[in-house]
Amino acid sequence: MYGPAAEDDPMGLYEQLRERHGPVAPVLLHGDLPAWLVLGYRENLDVTRTPSRFSRDSRHWRDMREGKLTADHPLAPIAAWQPICAFADGKVHERWRDAINDALGRFDRRGVRRHITRFANQLVDEFCATGEADLVHSFAEPLPMLVMTQLLGMPEEYGPRLVEAARDMIKGTETAVASNEYVQQTLRKLVARKHSDPGADFTTWLLEHPAELSDEEVQQHLRLVLIAAFETTANLIANTLRMVLTDPRCRANLAGGHMTLPDAVEQTLWDEPPFTTILGRWATQDTELAGQQIKAGDALILGLAAANVDTVIRPDPAAPVHGNRSHLAFSGGAHECPGQDIGRAIADTGIDALLTRLQDIRLAVPESKLTWRSSLMSRHLVELPVEFTPCEPQDPEPDEVVPEPAVRLDDASGAQAEGDSAGTGAPSPATAAPAQPPGALRSAVPAPPARGDGTRSSWWRSLARRLRGR
């Protein structure tokens, strides 16, 4: 799972392994540590739903107990046990997870959307007069970190350096340990400051929660939320923008009203999930999975991208999946991502603000020239160069009313694979109100800000006109 083959074409590697071994394949991690890659959709659900057999506690990992995962190992920052809900099961997990869910649930959904729109417009202002930009470095990467630093109660100037450190840590590079230490030091200072200067933010709410988390527990959960939200959302924004700009099927569906922007985000979550894999299950006992003999202490990797194209649940990968949220982009079971709807909001609200401002935006290079960089857990665009008609930066309007996008953070549309939905604003499938028809929640297109002449700017109409002219 490392080296040129894994980095150049991870999806191709997954399919080779599936053809050779079936839904579960033996692989090697950095340092030739053995593990099992779970490729099948049903098998991934089995692993995420049975913590009695497959635990999130990495202290079960045999190679870790034997000292093979040293402190300076590239995988240590993401695999070494930490006092956070992502490495716990049962009551301990519930205590930590409830604190996160409760803190996330306190955010005003409209307020979050306003923050996203404000930061997106600030980023567009920085390059709109030039007529060209790289949307990965100038938009997709900084936007999630700007939003998350705001929600965590951090100064905005922390953002740029945290972007670099977060992405380096996820890659599992030789400098991952040092990058992780920078993130830890930054968050340690934040926790200390919030004791004396509390605010209406995620950090303060964790410190004040009845679960009485220690400073170390709060710090580690801030790191978990910050890193997971940044990497997944940055990749989601970049991949969705690439699809909108290059995929004729997507452009035609958007122009014809058969797809909305939130639909495009969901399609991306199926086809190019932000995390391709997750290292994070360890066998608690000798067991069997898809005919493979798993030994106690073995490591398992959730193959999220491979599971999403498993022909068992997706016979035709080219068919659209509008209204279907049963993908595994956010994992499943009790450890399903609690902040997934905030990630969706950052992506669809931010992209909408960008495309409303730059209505004739187009790819500046042939699609074949785009390149990706892959690591164990993710695959992301290196650059997304675009060009457009230069325009003037916006004059900030303090009292501007930001229109509410079509899908609210607390919408519950479509069934998730399984797992906690508390804290995301969506009821669990067992208690949810009767669902609306799949397209109903996403039938409306968010209205852009009104112009001074009373007309409304619409990148959707502009796109439709360009397509009809071809």
Side-chain angles (χ1 to χ4, degrees):
M1 296 290 290
Y2 63 93
E7 294 168 4
D8 294 343
D9 184 17
M11 291 300 293
L13 176 62
Y14 302 156
E15 292 310 309
Q16 291 178 27
L17 291 170
R18 197 196 310 264
E19 183 177 353
R20 187 180 309 166
H21 300 283
V24 180
V27 295
L28 295 175
L29 303 176
H30 291 272
D32 286 344
L33 302 180
W36 298 98
L37 175 61
V38 186
L39 300 161
Y41 182 90
R42 293 172 179 169
E43 288 73 19
N44 270 278
L45 285 183
D46 187 14
V47 171
T48 61
R49 290 174 171 176
T50 52
S52 60
R53 296 164 59 209
F54 305 107
S55 174
R56 279 294 280 134
D57 190 334
S58 62
R59 290 173 294 189
H60 288 285
W61 194 1
R62 182 174 52 255
D63 287 332
M64 182 176 291
R65 294 199 306 266
E66 294 176 356
K68 296 179 181 178
L69 192 82
T70 57
D72 59 351
H73 193 283
L75 296 180
I78 60 173
W81 186 87
Q82 301 153 45
I84 54 176
C85 62
F87 285 93
D89 297 303
K91 292 187 180 300
V92 175
H93 168 259
E94 291 175 7
R95 171 177 172 263
W96 286 331
R97 178 68 177 242
D98 286 349
I100 288 181
N101 288 340
D102 292 345
L104 288 174
R106 294 183 64 175
F107 283 117
D108 172 71
R109 288 352 192 202
R110 291 175 183 265
V112 172
R113 295 278 188 181
R114 285 193 290 271
H115 285 312
I116 298 166
T117 302
R118 177 168 64 90
F119 286 128
N121 280 317
Q122 286 178 5
L123 291 172
V124 173
D125 284 344
E126 292 179 2
F127 57 75
C128 64
T130 67
E132 59 183 12
D134 167 21
L135 293 184
V136 172
H137 296 94
S138 298
F139 191 81
E141 288 188 343
L143 180 59
M145 192 61 76
L146 286 169
V147 175
M148 292 310 299
T149 52
Q150 177 77 35
L151 300 184
L152 267 60
M154 304 172 69
E156 293 179 14
E157 57 266 23
Y158 282 25
R161 178 68 181 90
L162 282 173
V163 167
E164 298 174 10
R167 177 140 279 176
D168 184 64
M169 194 186 79
I170 290 292
K171 289 177 186 175
T173 65
E174 296 300 322
T175 56
V177 174
S179 294
N180 178 59
E181 181 56 30
Y182 172 80
V183 173
Q184 298 279 29
Q185 289 179 359
T186 302
L187 296 175
R188 196 174 296 121
K189 293 176 182 177
L190 174 64
V191 172
R193 185 165 64 86
K194 285 299 172 180
H195 276 296
S196 58
D197 185 22
D201 54 64
F202 187 76
T203 305
T204 299
W205 294 333
L206 281 185
L207 288 169
E208 295 174 349
H209 194 271
E212 297 182 344
L213 274 62
S214 68
D215 284 7
E216 173 70 9
E217 290 172 329
V218 171
Q219 174 194 325
Q220 295 299 342
H221 282 95
L222 292 177
R223 172 183 173 274
L224 171 68
V225 170
L226 185 69
I227 300 303
F230 161 68
E231 178 69 10
T232 57
T233 311
N235 286 346
L236 179 58
I237 293 172
N239 291 339
T240 303
L241 282 169
R242 185 199 61 80
M243 182 175 71
V244 169
L245 294 172
T246 64
D247 188 338
R249 178 189 62 178
C250 175
R251 295 201 305 271
N253 285 333
L254 286 171
H258 302 296
M259 175 190 283
T260 64
L261 188 52
D263 288 330
V265 170
E266 217 62 39
Q267 183 74 47
T268 302
L269 288 168
W270 273 101
D271 296 339
E272 297 181 280
F275 278 150
T276 52
T277 67
I278 293 180
L279 170 62
R281 293 299 190 282
W282 291 274
T284 62
Q285 57 189 272
D286 291 352
T287 186
E288 181 180 319
L289 184 65
Q292 300 284 14
Q293 300 302 312
I294 312 295
K295 299 295 184 182
D298 281 0
L300 291 95
I301 305 165
L302 301 181
L304 308 181
N308 279 354
V309 294
D310 188 343
T311 56
V312 170
I313 55 109
R314 225 177 144 191
D316 181 9
V321 285
H322 302 168
N324 187 339
R325 287 190 172 189
S326 59
H327 53 74
L328 297 183
F330 296 108
S331 188
H335 289 274
E336 188 173 348
C337 176
Q340 57 188 273
D341 285 339
I342 289 182
R344 285 185 174 98
I346 296 173
D348 69 57
T349 305
I351 292 173
D352 184 69
L354 170 78
L355 298 179
T356 297
R357 295 277 304 279
L358 309 175
Q359 295 184 25
D360 65 345
I361 192 169
R362 56 201 176 272
L363 200 62
V365 298
E367 185 181 357
S368 60
K369 297 296 184 181
L370 298 178
T371 58
W372 281 259
R373 184 173 292 118
S374 301
S375 59
L376 172 63
M377 292 177 59
S378 66
R379 177 177 183 262
H380 65 268
L381 274 170
V382 175
E383 294 180 327
L384 187 60
V386 295
E387 55 188 13
F388 46 85
T389 302
C391 58
E392 294 297 320
Q394 278 189 346
D395 291 327
E397 299 181 21
D399 298 323
E400 178 184 5
V401 177
V402 179
E404 190 71 7
V407 180
R408 292 174 53 82
L409 293 181
D410 52 0
D411 279 337
S413 57
Q416 287 287 7
E418 190 213 349
D420 298 330
S421 52
T424 64
S428 66
T431 60
Q436 300 184 44
L441 290 174
R442 292 188 285 273
S443 60
V445 175
R451 288 180 175 174
D453 59 2
T455 63
R456 287 187 178 274
S457 167
S458 171
W459 73 271
W460 302 96
R461 289 196 296 272
S462 176
L463 175 61
R465 287 196 298 270
R466 292 205 308 275
L467 289 173
R468 285 196 295 269
R470 292 188 175 186

